[in-house]
Structure formats: structure tokens, C-alpha cells
Amino acid sequence: MAQIIDGKEVSVFIKDKIKARTAQLKEKSGLVPGLAVILVGSDSASQIYVRNKKQACEYCGFYSESYELPADTTQDQLLELIDALNKNDSIDGILVQMPLPKQIDPQAVTEAILPEKDVDAFNFVNVGRIMLGEYNFLPCTPAGVMELLRYYKIDVSGKECVVVGRSNIVGKPMAMLLLHENATVTICHSKTADLPAVTRRADVLVSAVGRPCFITADMIKPGAVVIDVGINRKPDGKLCGDIDFTEAQKIASFITPVPGGVGPMTIAMLMQNTLTSAELKLKRRN
Ligand code: GUN
């Protein structure tokens, strides 16, 4: 049976370090890291994420603001709020929860956030920096996966890593972070000819597809490390990932559960980026 990777435990370990660094920063400079979270519309999953982010801010000792805007908010109204937050010195990070209603262009919104406050690392400058390996912020979910691997002393150097999914938020940056750690990386997607043949090569398999039970046990190499980024809701309302967990755990060496795997790490890394942003602001001042 695979060892379960406990994302809750690792996220608390990281948040406790952030909490201590935040207390030091406050004592040294009077600065308190500040995060603004904006939610447009009332998607229930997004509301839960926003609430969890607020709680994490409280835990770490951050200042936080949350904005819940109606679903018919215009792009100009949202850009106006971002402009005000860009100019607000008590805010170090601005996060606009995705997905956005269709009258709003998500890239236009992302580009409006100052790169130094773009704690999601979604805008052109930060994506470009990640490509070059010269970054201040890493996108939260892929960074959270790398922290899990580090905590469990899983070295990816020279290993075959397969990422299923090519989104800008997870798949593409995930592949880049694995590459920075000297993995041999393959990215699969909906047009991949023989997906099981590719996933069976993986020493480390990361799935970010968003479909329940998409990765079955026969697609996993015995002894592989299996990371599930999917958060899906089954017809009975329960959460599940992309991986058929019950069968996969009989084959894998390590596996992340859903919930309690990658999810809590995403929020921990958002806290990390917000603290980094506050520390960089202080450096620019001095
Ligand atoms: N929606 C799903 N994941 C994310 C994320 O990492 N950041 C934002 N802003 N929205 C999301």
C-alpha cells in the first residue's frame, strides 16, 4: 500500500514557518503582509476557497480584505478596484478568484495587477520569470506540489515525470518546476495518442485534468509517486480527485488524497507569496 502524502500536515508546517517570519517582520519593521481576495459572482466552490484563504491569513497573522462582487460586475468596475488595490500600500498581494463571469476577460484582469502584487504568478512578467528560473513568486498549486515532494524527500532529478493537463494555472508551470529540478518531463493532454502508454512510464505522475476517476490503476507504473491536483464533485456531492484512489493506492509508492492532499498546499503557497511580496517591498524601501 502506498504511503499517503498528508497535505494538511505539510501545509501546517509551512504556515507555522510563515507565521514566525511574519511576527519577525512585524517586530523588525512594523510591516504586516496584506492580501486582497476578489470573488466575482457566487460560485459555491469559489466561496469556500475564498473563506479558506481568509482563515489562512488570520492564522499567519496577515491583514486581509475580501471583496465579493455581484456576477454582473463589469470589467471596468473590476479594473477600477484592482487599480485602487495596486495603489494601496497595505496590500501586498491581489488575487482574483478564477473562473470569472464571461463578460470579463481574465487575462486583461491578470495583466492589470502589478507584477509585484501578482501573488498567483499569472501575469506575463511572472510567467516569463518562471520560464527563465528567475522568479519571486511561483504559481501556488505547482509550488505546493514541489513542497510536498520536498517534504517527503522524493527527488525528481533524472526521473520520468508525466504531467497530465496543460493549463496555464497548473499543467504548464508544473512541468517547468519539475524541469528546474532536473526531471525528464512529458506533458499529456486531450490529444495525446496513447495516454496510458505515456502515464505508465511515469516515476512521478501528476494529474491536473478535472475529471473524476480519469486515471485508473492500469495507467500507473508500480511504485510510482502519484499526485492528484483534480478537485471534482461526484454526483453524491463528495469531493474526489482525477485518480481512482482506492485502486491506485495499491500500486503507487506515494499518493495524495483528495481532499487533504494538494488543496491545502495551494493556500499555504499563496501565504508564502504574500509574505515574500511584503519582504520585497521592505527591501525596496531600504
Ligand atoms: N481558481 C482555481 N485555482 C485558482 C488559483 O490558483 N488562483 C486563482 N486566482 N483562481 C483559481
Side-chain angles (χ1 to χ4, degrees), residues 124-199:
F124 294 149
V125 171
N126 288 316
V127 173
R129 284 177 172 275
I130 291 156
M131 281 290 285
L132 300 176
E134 292 279 335
Y135 43 77
N136 297 321
F137 308 130
L138 288 174
C140 302
T141 299
V145 172
M146 298 310 289
E147 286 293 334
L148 288 177
L149 295 174
R150 202 165 299 136
Y151 188 90
Y152 283 87
K153 301 192 166 49
I154 298 164
D155 183 11
V156 300
S157 178
K159 302 266 177 66
E160 286 266 4
C161 295
V162 174
V163 179
V164 188
R166 56 171 156 181
S167 70
N168 291 332
I169 294 184
V170 182
K172 283 188 219 169
M174 185 73 251
M176 202 51 57
L177 300 194
L178 290 164
L179 181 63
H180 289 330
E181 297 293 327
N182 303 313
T184 301
V185 186
T186 305
I187 307 177
C188 300
H189 44 78
S190 53
K191 301 285 192 295
T192 296
D194 186 351
L195 180 65
V198 183
T199 58

Side-chain angles (χ1 to χ4, degrees), residues 49 53 95-99 120 122 140-141 169 266:
Y49 297 148
K53 284 164 188 168
L95 179 141
V96 180
Q97 186 67 36
M98 303 292 173
D120 263 325
F122 287 172
C140 302
T141 299
I169 294 184
T266 299

Side-chain angles (χ1 to χ4, degrees), residues 14 139-141 143-144 147 264-274:
I14 290 176
C140 302
T141 299
E147 286 293 334
M265 293 302 294
T266 299
I267 295 182
M269 301 323 288
L270 175 67
M271 299 299 113
Q272 179 121 295
N273 284 346
T274 305

Side-chain angles (χ1 to χ4, degrees), residues 30-64:
L31 280 186
V32 176
L35 176 67
V37 177
I38 306 172
L39 172 63
V40 186
S42 53
D43 178 69
S44 61
S46 293
Q47 280 174 327
I48 296 170
Y49 297 148
V50 169
R51 196 181 60 211
N52 290 343
K53 284 164 188 168
K54 204 169 152 187
Q55 276 173 3
C57 282
E58 279 163 24
Y59 187 91
C60 295
F62 292 3
Y63 169 69
S64 77

Side-chain angles (χ1 to χ4, degrees), residues 16-33 60-62 275:
D16 282 341
K17 285 202 290 190
I18 294 171
K19 190 174 176 172
R21 262 170 63 194
T22 300
Q24 277 175 3
L25 180 72
K26 193 170 172 186
E27 199 178 300
K28 186 171 74 177
S29 65
L31 280 186
V32 176
C60 295
F62 292 3
L275 174 59

